[in-house]
């Protein structure tokens, strides 16, 4: 095969890699991914395992002598999620970093290539596991397959609770295996426990297989997971103890029981469910762990080697990237910024979607790096989880916990070029009011933006033109039926939406109205 092969198929001469070395612009997203620097002794199953948490893997081409592989996902969406996940936190196979990028190819055609038998066998084993037709336990025990009527609800007990584990942390870990609909946390027998409901029992099955017995943080916070007898959870309040991700309109119900009395009785849980760290003064709320990296998923017996979603050589641990950062720290180190376009105000607006930003410092000697100080550690965690791996001004932003406890303001007379700003008294903070509705409307960056505080005189075209002038392509727009002060606008990409939010949040629309912009969970 030679490099003139049509771009629909893939060739085995490693041209993607040669082009990569010349710092070529990144390929547009494709469901075919190009992996470089794979270990010589890696197995097909291990390569496939990198894609499994993100969706179905449909084909694989190994070029072991070139230490490369091509992995085809069932959808472009799955490939994009995978690349976004692994860009800030490089995956490791056999303790060696592996680099992943989009391929120039739209699909893999491997029918006529030699030495494909092992790859096809590994793919068949995975699809058999995924369709539930293969007993995963390797023995007669029925725990391997998803049984008819099996519950989509997991009961989770966390042993050796050295650090507090928040509802958000659980959501982040378990979301890797499917859509999490609801979570309820409570304490019973002095143990921190949770009930977690997936959209599908298959997701619950995979999560139990992969996570039971794993530690959330190094050497502590061990997950013990079983299927619940309940088939559905009824969540009454959205707060730090319970959450229904399908009903963002629920009240916070402060101090109210999160479980209905009948459910509470089923668990012998007290009426008012208390957090195990409700009164642990000075305890770090949550340790930084972006995107659950370092989690090593155990083997699927009889089919696959270790399913590692790991960016750490320490298997069986969620090793925390930037673990030199301090648990409970509220300062983030943000790297890989575009030094020509980024400003302290831009970072203040963007990170302010996930918490109140007190100070921002762009590094004087290395302007692609910045420190962002949030109001507290939970907000820093939230901002890091949502923004790390997103594209901003053509570069993939990375955020980790900083070693610094605070951002220092420059001394008088010290040259700073306006790179350090104090926003602690800004009127633009979204979360100053306790119990503000903004706490319930925190969503990941998306191409659809929620606009509010629109005066009556502003038209559809007026708003569309505002975004077009900011360099965006407007795909769709609609006012809310019941409240014309609010609207949704869908832009060409998530990156466009992030940049529009930075530029247009608090834009003066006249009549004493300043536009409010946030990410939406809806599409138009």
């Amino acid at each position: 095969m030679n490099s003139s092969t049509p771009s629909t198929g893939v060739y085995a001469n490693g041209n993607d890699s040669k082009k990569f070395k010349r710092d070529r612009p990144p390929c547009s997203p494709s469901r075919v991914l190009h992996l470089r620097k794979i270990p010589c002794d890696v197995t097909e199953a291990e390569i496939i395992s990198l894609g499994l948490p993100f969706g179905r893997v449909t084909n694989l081409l190994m070029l072991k002598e070139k230490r490369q592989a091509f992995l085809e996902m069932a959808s472009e969406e799955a490939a994009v999620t995978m690349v976004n996940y692994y860009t800030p936190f490089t995956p490791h196979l056999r303790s060696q970093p592996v680099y992943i990028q989009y391929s120039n190819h739209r699909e893999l055609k491997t029918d006529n290539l030699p030495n494909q038998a092992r790859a096809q066998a590994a793919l068949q084993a995975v699809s058999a596991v995924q369709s539930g037709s293969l007993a995963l336990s390797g023995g007669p025990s029925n725990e391997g397959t998803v049984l008819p009527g099996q519950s989509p609800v997991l009961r989770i007990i966390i042993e050796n609770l050295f650090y507090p584990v928040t509802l958000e942390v659980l959501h982040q870990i378990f979301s890797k295996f499917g859509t999490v609909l609801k979570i309820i946390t409570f304490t019973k027998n002095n143990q921190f426990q949770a009930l977690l409901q997936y959209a599908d029992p298959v997701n619950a099955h995979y999560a139990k297989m992969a996570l039971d017995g794993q530690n959330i943080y190094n050497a502590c916070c061990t997950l013990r997971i079983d299927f619940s007898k309940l088939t559905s959870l009824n969540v009454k309040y959205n707060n730090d103890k319970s959450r229904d991700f399908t009903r963002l309109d629920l009240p916070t119900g402060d101090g109210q029981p999160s479980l209905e009395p009948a459910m509470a009785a089923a668990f012998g849980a007290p009426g008012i469910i208390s957090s195990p760290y409700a009164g642990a003064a000075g305890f770090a709320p949550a340790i930084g762990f972006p995107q659950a990296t370092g989690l090593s998923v155990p083997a699927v017996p009889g089919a696959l080697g270790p399913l590692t979603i790991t960016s750490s050589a320490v298997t069986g641990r969620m090793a925390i990237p930037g673990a030199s950062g301090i648990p409970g720290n509220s300062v983030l180190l943000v790297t890989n910024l575009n030094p020509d376009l980024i400003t302290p105000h831009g970072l203040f607006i963007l990170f302010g979607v996930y918490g109140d930003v007190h100070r921002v410092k762009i590094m004087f000697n290395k302007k692609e790096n910045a420190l962002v100080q949030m109001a507290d550690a939970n907000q820093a965690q939230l901002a890091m989880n949502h923004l790390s791996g997103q594209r901003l001004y053509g570069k993939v932003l990375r955020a980790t916990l900083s070693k610094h406890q605070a951002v220092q303001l420059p001394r008088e007379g010290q040259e700073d070029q306006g790179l350090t700003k104090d926003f602690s008294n800004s009127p633009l903070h979204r979360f100053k009011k306790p119990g503000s509705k903004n706490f319930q409307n925190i969503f990941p960056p998306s191409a659809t933006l929620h606009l509010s505080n629109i005066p009556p005189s502003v038209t559809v075209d007026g708003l569309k033109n505002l975004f077009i002038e900011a360099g965006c392509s407007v795909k769709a727009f609609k006012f809310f039926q019941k409240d014309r002060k609010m609207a949704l606008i869908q832009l060409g990409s998530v990156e466009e939406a992030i940049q529009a939010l930075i530029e247009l949040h608090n834009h003066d629309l006249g009549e004493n109205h300043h536009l409010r912009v946030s990410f939406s969970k809806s599409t138009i």
Side-chain angles (χ1 to χ4, degrees), residues 56-92:
R56 204 157 56 82
V57 177
T58 47
N59 210 347
L60 168 70
L61 174 63
M62 300 276 279
L63 307 175
K64 281 196 181 176
E65 67 289 354
K66 294 184 186 300
R67 296 188 57 202
Q68 296 177 31
F70 290 88
L71 193 70
E72 181 188 270
M73 302 298 289
S75 69
E76 188 177 297
E77 186 186 11
V80 169
T81 307
M82 181 171 163
V83 169
N84 286 348
Y85 178 87
Y86 286 134
T87 299
F89 305 107
T90 308
H92 285 57

Side-chain angles (χ1 to χ4, degrees), residues 375-419:
D376 63 41
N378 272 343
Q379 292 181 5
Q381 185 71 46
L382 209 54
M384 180 168 73
N385 291 346
H386 283 304
L387 294 175
S388 197
Q390 296 293 340
R391 289 186 79 85
L392 173 62
Y393 302 130
K395 302 191 72 165
V396 176
L397 173 156
R398 291 167 190 174
T400 53
L401 285 180
S402 166
K403 296 185 183 108
H404 297 281
Q405 287 293 282
V407 170
Q408 301 299 324
L409 294 175
R411 293 187 297 281
E412 255 185 83
Q414 189 179 352
E415 192 187 353
D416 179 64
Q417 298 177 352
L419 296 174

Side-chain angles (χ1 to χ4, degrees), residues 106-231:
R106 300 291 141 208
E107 62 176 319
L108 275 183
K109 291 186 175 169
T110 56
D111 306 350
N112 304 322
L113 294 177
N115 307 322
Q116 275 296 292
R118 286 182 53 161
Q120 293 310 310
L123 284 163
Q124 279 165 7
V126 172
S127 68
V129 168
Q130 288 182 321
S131 65
S133 63
L134 181 72
L136 300 178
S137 58
S141 145
N142 62 10
E143 69 177 278
T145 46
V146 181
L147 299 170
Q150 186 169 292
S151 172
V153 179
L154 293 177
R155 170 135 181 223
I156 302 152
I157 295 174
I158 300 178
E159 295 176 349
N160 195 10
L161 192 73
F162 190 73
Y163 296 114
V165 172
T166 63
L167 184 146
E168 279 78 16
V169 166
L170 290 173
H171 182 253
Q172 185 140 26
I173 299 168
F174 283 84
S175 290
K176 285 282 157 280
F177 297 88
T179 304
V180 174
L181 301 183
K182 302 171 189 178
I183 303 178
I184 296 170
T185 63
F186 55 95
T187 302
K188 182 187 171 192
N189 303 335
N190 288 330
Q191 280 184 314
F192 180 54
Q193 303 192 20
L195 294 167
L196 182 144
Q197 181 179 341
Y198 277 107
D200 191 309
V202 172
N203 304 126
H205 174 81
Y206 274 129
K208 179 182 184 300
M209 270 183 33
L211 296 173
D212 189 26
Q214 297 284 346
N215 294 329
I216 296 179
Y217 304 125
N218 282 342
C220 65
C221 301
T222 308
L223 293 163
R224 300 284 175 226
I225 303 171
D226 275 306
F227 292 106
S228 169
K229 293 185 180 70
L230 297 166
T231 53

Side-chain angles (χ1 to χ4, degrees), residues 427-461:
L428 295 184
H429 285 161
R430 295 176 189 243
F431 304 99
K432 265 196 305 218
K433 282 194 209 133
S436 154
K437 263 199 307 203
N438 292 342
F439 283 105
Q440 291 161 47
N441 293 316
I442 295 175
F443 302 111
S446 61
T448 305
L449 295 172
H450 179 276
L451 312 179
S452 59
N453 206 31
I454 302 165
S457 62
V458 172
T459 62
V460 171
D461 286 342

Side-chain angles (χ1 to χ4, degrees), residues 1-45:
M1 282 179 143
N2 59 36
S3 57
S4 63
T5 305
S7 66
T8 48
V10 73
Y11 42 77
N13 63 7
N15 272 9
D16 280 35
S17 158
K18 286 175 193 155
K19 290 179 196 163
F20 188 89
K21 286 172 188 157
R22 290 203 299 273
D23 241 352
R24 65 187 171 95
C27 290
S28 59
S30 160
R31 66 193 184 100
V32 179
L33 299 172
H34 179 209
L35 285 67
R36 297 175 303 115
K37 301 219 173 150
I38 63 172
C40 304
D41 53 350
V42 76
T43 65
E44 284 78 2

